[in-house]
Amino acid sequence: SSAGSVTATRSPSVAISDDAPGYDLDLFCRPNQYAEDLEKVFIPHGLIMDRAERLARDVMKEMGGHHIVALWVLKGGYKFFVDLSRPMTVDFIRLKSYCNDQSTGDIKVIGGDDLSTLTGKNVLIVDDIIDTGKTRQTLLSLVKQHNPKMVKAASLLVQRTPRSVGYRPDFVRFEIPDKSVVGYAPDYNEYSRDLNHGCVISETGKAKYKA
């Protein structure tokens, strides 16, 4: 089957419609252990990589060349971060806000360097997915307390969901329906990070990996 309606929006993101059927799993290579855990391939790896290159160009153009500190939100954004941040200085922060496929609304900073090192820097926060936006808004507030010169945010995915507080990152690869997508680093309770494609997890997979 085809991917269905995939259209470029006026922003740099690509919007995938709510009724997009995705692709049959058998058309793509995937780890055998996930055979019953996935419903379909939603975003093929090649499309993700092409969007990575374009988004990196947009970031560098807007934020002023190579003088950028990329703040990686562990663990979910690691593949996205590697593709995006090769010409940048890097720093790390680890957050916890999810249980199963829902954001808890609470943000816990559980690792990373002292954010005071960001003072006076051009900072790019890199994450894998935005749903409600509460976690990202809280992190932005924490970063801004240390007076960076500039702070922007990039995300692989933004979900269209009624739970959203209306936050949207400055740079987005894909806007997607309110589905549980795993692969290319986004996970389900730490499972399925190793998939190269963005896939919709099945109800069987949700039950298997439920916290």
Side-chain angles (χ1 to χ4, degrees), residues 34 41-42 86 89 93 101 151 156 168 180 191 195 208:
Y34 299 127
V41 170
F42 211 44
R86 287 187 176 92
T89 304
I93 189 169
D101 59 350
V151 58
L156 170 65
R168 185 180 178 87
S180 296
Y191 291 93
L195 291 165
K208 182 187 294 187

Side-chain angles (χ1 to χ4, degrees), residues 5-118:
S5 300
V6 181
T7 58
T9 65
R10 283 181 291 179
S11 73
S13 64
V14 169
I16 300 177
S17 66
D18 290 348
D19 60 356
Y23 296 89
D24 293 337
L25 290 168
D26 290 341
L27 295 174
F28 297 89
C29 297
R30 67 190 187 281
N32 290 333
Q33 68 264 32
Y34 299 127
E36 297 180 357
D37 303 338
L38 305 174
E39 187 177 303
K40 56 188 173 184
V41 170
F42 211 44
I43 311 175
H45 184 246
L47 181 57
I48 292 173
M49 297 305 295
D50 190 81
R51 288 289 300 128
E53 182 178 349
R54 172 57 192 271
L55 192 143
R57 290 181 191 176
D58 292 341
V59 168
M60 300 302 286
K61 180 178 180 180
E62 183 164 335
M63 296 190 69
H66 300 277
H67 306 291
I68 301 169
V69 176
L71 185 62
W72 174 12
V73 181
L74 299 168
K75 300 178 186 174
Y78 77 90
K79 289 187 178 181
F80 181 31
F81 181 84
V82 169
D83 290 337
L84 185 62
S85 63
R86 287 187 176 92
M88 306 175 193
T89 304
V90 300
D91 207 337
F92 307 92
I93 189 169
R94 184 165 177 201
L95 306 178
K96 175 72 174 178
S97 66
Y98 268 78
C99 182
N100 297 322
D101 59 350
Q102 299 293 319
S103 174
T104 63
D106 296 321
I107 180 173
K108 297 179 182 178
V109 181
I110 55 177
D113 292 339
D114 186 345
L115 296 182
S116 64
T117 61
L118 303 179

